[in-house]
Amino acid sequence: MMADVIPDTLSDTAVAPGIDASAAVHPTAIVEAGAAVGPNVKIGPFSIIGPEVSLAAGVEVGSHVVIGGRTRIGPGCRIFPFAALGLQPQDRKFRGEQSRLDIGAGTVIREYVTINTGTEGGGMVTRLGERCLLLAHAHVGHDCQIGNDVLLVNNVMLGGHVLIEDFASLGGGSAVHQFVRIGAYAFLGGLSGLEHDLIPFGMAIGNRAHLAGLNLVGLKRRGFPREDIHALRRAYRVLFAGEGTLAERNEQVASAFQSQTVEMVTAFIRQGGDRSLCTPDAPPAGGAA
């Protein structure tokens, strides 16, 4: 997915205010007036659902969960105990604007995860795509835009305004600087601190993180053809070990390779962002990237 803002996938799953007759709400849970609770939703003990929250069909909310703000949660999501979703952003510039949080269908949010709403300075919405998996204690800052099938392992910390494209994986305890972009199918190693944009299919490790090659394991697991992987490896060497500026090398690669995967990388670099690009500590050798 190559976009400044992750698309809205919840427009067709709107739920009318009130509690659907088929929903199961524990007697100790609090569902405030105005909340929309859809068919077959389950809400566990001592959870609190705010007045502007919408839970689509089949959402499961465990015990002691707090969901506030203008939050929409798509069908089939599972939220485990002690998660806190849709509360005010941790941003000193926030002035109470009516921002929101959107979470796409089939996403799983484990214990103690925190996800904040957006801000006026970042587009007014924090958004997660479909089928994401956020493990315990992960934090998603205000105005983050996260694509589909993204994995955040335990204790991942995302600063505000981070963009993560589809199928990216972030290892446990990793931290991402505000405004950083992470491309599709990229991998960030555990305990890494990422302060620069990570290309699609790239792998970064370290504190501060550097580009350490391509996410070859992820490419193979996702079934990418061998020809695409070989093209990416050749393109990677030209991009980060060739002559001239990065912009010149990027255009050279874009014109030399007829590969959709390579095109994803060159488009990501060409688009640019607020942060510089994550690069290798040293140019890659003539061998494998």
Side-chain angles (χ1 to χ4, degrees):
M1 178 176 298
M2 197 67 210
D4 288 321
V5 178
I6 302 301
D8 180 0
T9 61
L10 299 179
S11 298
D12 297 330
T13 61
V15 180
I19 301 175
D20 188 89
S22 63
V25 180
H26 192 275
T28 61
I30 297 174
V31 179
E32 297 190 39
V37 178
N40 302 310
V41 169
K42 298 179 181 178
I43 302 175
F46 302 104
S47 287
I48 300 174
I49 310 299
E52 296 183 277
V53 172
S54 174
L55 306 178
V59 170
E60 296 183 14
V61 178
S63 68
H64 298 86
V65 172
V66 177
I67 308 176
R70 299 174 66 205
T71 297
R72 299 187 299 173
I73 298 180
C77 289
R78 298 175 63 201
I79 303 166
F80 283 70
F82 298 100
L85 311 179
L87 303 184
Q88 287 189 4
Q90 300 173 59
D91 183 349
R92 288 181 172 179
K93 299 184 296 298
F94 182 71
R95 294 293 182 267
E97 53 263 33
Q98 292 297 299
S99 56
R100 69 177 198 270
L101 166 65
D102 287 350
I103 298 175
T107 288
V108 176
I109 297 171
R110 295 303 305 247
E111 297 82 357
Y112 293 98
V113 166
T114 55
I115 310 176
N116 297 150
T117 57
T119 66
E120 185 176 6
M124 295 288 286
V125 61
T126 302
R127 180 170 287 133
L128 279 71
E130 299 180 347
R131 300 175 302 279
C132 294
L133 174 58
L134 283 66
L135 299 189
H137 293 273
H139 171 69
V140 178
H142 59 85
D143 302 293
C144 285
Q145 302 288 310
I146 298 177
N148 299 324
D149 301 285
V150 169
L151 170 63
L152 305 184
V153 181
N154 306 73
N155 299 294
V156 165
M157 297 172 286
L158 303 182
H161 311 275
V162 168
L163 170 66
I164 304 179
E165 297 180 350
D166 298 348
F167 293 102
S169 298
L170 280 64
S174 57
V176 181
H177 194 285
Q178 61 189 27
F179 292 103
V180 161
R181 299 179 302 143
I182 297 177
Y185 300 93
F187 176 80
L188 178 62
L191 301 178
S192 295
L194 183 66
E195 55 183 348
H196 302 299
D197 292 349
L198 177 56
I199 60 171
F201 310 104
M203 177 174 64
I205 57 173
N207 184 17
R208 301 298 191 182
H210 62 275
L211 192 60
L214 295 169
N215 182 18
L216 297 176
V217 172
L219 285 162
K220 293 172 182 176
R221 285 178 176 172
R222 292 292 176 184
F224 280 84
R226 179 175 298 180
E227 295 77 13
D228 286 351
I229 296 175
H230 288 333
L232 277 169
R233 294 176 72 169
R234 294 194 303 272
Y236 181 94
R237 286 192 287 271
V238 174
L239 281 168
F240 298 107
E243 299 294 330
T245 66
L246 177 60
E248 291 169 344
R249 297 194 299 270
N250 192 54
E251 294 309 314
Q252 177 187 346
V253 167
S255 61
F257 289 84
Q258 303 302 313
S259 164
Q260 185 176 4
T261 51
V262 173
E263 183 181 345
M264 290 172 65
V265 177
T266 57
F268 183 92
I269 295 173
R270 189 182 294 120
Q271 182 185 39
D274 293 288
R275 305 293 294 177
S276 58
L277 202 66
C278 187
T279 57
D281 265 355

